[in-house]
Amino acid sequence: MALTTIRQWKHVFKLDPDKPISDDALDALCLSGTDAIVIGGSSGVTFDNTVDLMSRVRRYEVSCVLEVSGLHAIAPGFDLYLIPVVLNADSVDWVIGQHHQAVKEYGSFVPWESVAAEAYVILNPDCTAGRLTGASSGLSAKDVAAYAKLAERLYRFPVFYMEYSGMFGDMDMVRRARGELKEARLFYGGGINSEERAREALEAGADTIVVGNVIYESLEKALATVNAVKMG
Ligand code: 1GP
């Protein structure tokens, strides 16, 4: 069920529960035609601010998804749960450690049919998630291609996520990963702040683009990114 849903996504907005957002802005985002609202962040995420944001998004028909960033902020009631597995982290903690702990504690409550793992490769080591996970820097296109191949062929992850959070990435790198993937969905996130950049990432081969930061800088620009998938 989770996979059928994810395969339909071309565009998602990622909202950070630690950042304030007005009702009007939320209304515009939820009615924009985006395929899903993903709630997630790398710092300051709590159970309370996660549930608060979820209940506000829940007023709309758009899918409401939690990207789990830590044990402390797992809440019931989302349509879907995305679980990042950071392939280039410097600690096993971000690959399986935290996941193991979570299943030990909450395993009997997990709605497994609504859970999907994301094979993350963090390509901006200076972003919050990069620093937190000690993501390796200076990855070459060959490195990324190998991660993509491993993610799909060996581990059979449904999603391969190229995370450039905070900066617009190298589209040649995206093309290279695209060339390795047949089954996994290619997510691209980072620095999409215009319709043009959204289009570029899609043309490079991203199946799904993730738009985050620009929401808090210019709502108008954030909304414009949806045009790339709805009219393209
Ligand atoms: C962050 O990939 C997303 O997790 C989106 O990146 O915030 O740079 O848009 P931006």
Side-chain angles (χ1 to χ4, degrees):
M1 188 171 94
L3 298 190
T4 318
T5 308
I6 291 171
R7 286 206 181 103
Q8 291 163 3
W9 295 348
K10 289 189 176 147
H11 179 288
V12 305
F13 280 123
K14 195 187 277 191
L15 293 183
D16 186 338
D18 193 32
K19 291 184 182 162
I21 186 144
S22 69
D23 284 342
D24 284 351
L26 198 61
D27 189 70
L29 294 165
C30 292
L31 298 175
S32 64
T34 189
D35 296 305
I37 301 288
V38 175
I39 294 179
S42 303
S43 69
V45 179
T46 65
F47 182 83
D48 288 348
N49 61 22
T50 300
V51 170
D52 179 60
L53 189 52
M54 175 188 72
S55 61
R56 293 173 66 205
V57 174
R58 272 270 170 253
R59 294 180 200 142
Y60 300 88
E61 272 181 37
V62 68
S63 295
C64 183
V65 178
L66 180 65
E67 185 174 63
V68 178
S69 56
L71 279 172
H72 50 282
I74 305 177
F78 284 88
D79 293 316
L80 216 75
Y81 294 83
L82 297 173
I83 315 292
V85 172
V86 183
L87 300 186
N88 65 326
D90 73 348
S91 156
V92 74
D93 215 30
W94 301 104
V95 183
I96 189 141
Q98 301 234 4
H99 316 67
H100 178 233
Q101 201 55 38
V103 173
K104 240 167 93 180
E105 282 184 40
Y106 307 114
S108 48
F109 304 107
V110 177
W112 290 107
E113 68 289 351
S114 305
V115 172
E118 302 169 303
Y120 250 71
V121 173
I122 300 181
L123 290 144
N124 174 9
D126 293 328
C127 70
T128 312
R131 287 196 301 271
L132 189 69
T133 61
S136 53
S137 58
L139 294 182
S140 66
K142 224 172 161 181
D143 287 320
V144 174
Y147 276 130
K149 195 172 266 182
L150 272 176
E152 178 178 289
R153 313 277 169 86
L154 183 63
Y155 296 111
R156 305 200 187 280
F157 278 99
V159 172
F160 183 70
Y161 191 138
M162 297 181 70
E163 174 65 291
Y164 277 97
S165 181
M167 66 178 273
F168 192 62
D170 179 345
M171 291 301 114
D172 283 337
M173 211 79 117
V174 176
R175 273 184 275 276
R176 197 62 194 275
R178 167 80 277 155
E180 298 295 338
L181 300 172
K182 291 191 179 71
E183 301 292 329
R185 193 91 187 154
L186 177 55
F187 279 29
Y188 169 85
I192 295 182
N193 57 9
S194 64
E195 182 177 340
E196 196 188 352
R197 280 190 169 178
R199 228 178 263 287
E200 265 185 73
L202 290 163
E203 281 167 11
D207 294 308
T208 305
I209 52 170
V210 183
V211 177
N213 277 307
V214 69
I215 295 166
Y216 304 96
E217 290 155 10
S218 162
L219 183 66
E220 199 184 330
K221 287 183 183 171
L223 293 171
T225 65
V226 183
N227 296 337
V229 293
K230 299 303 166 193
M231 293 156 65

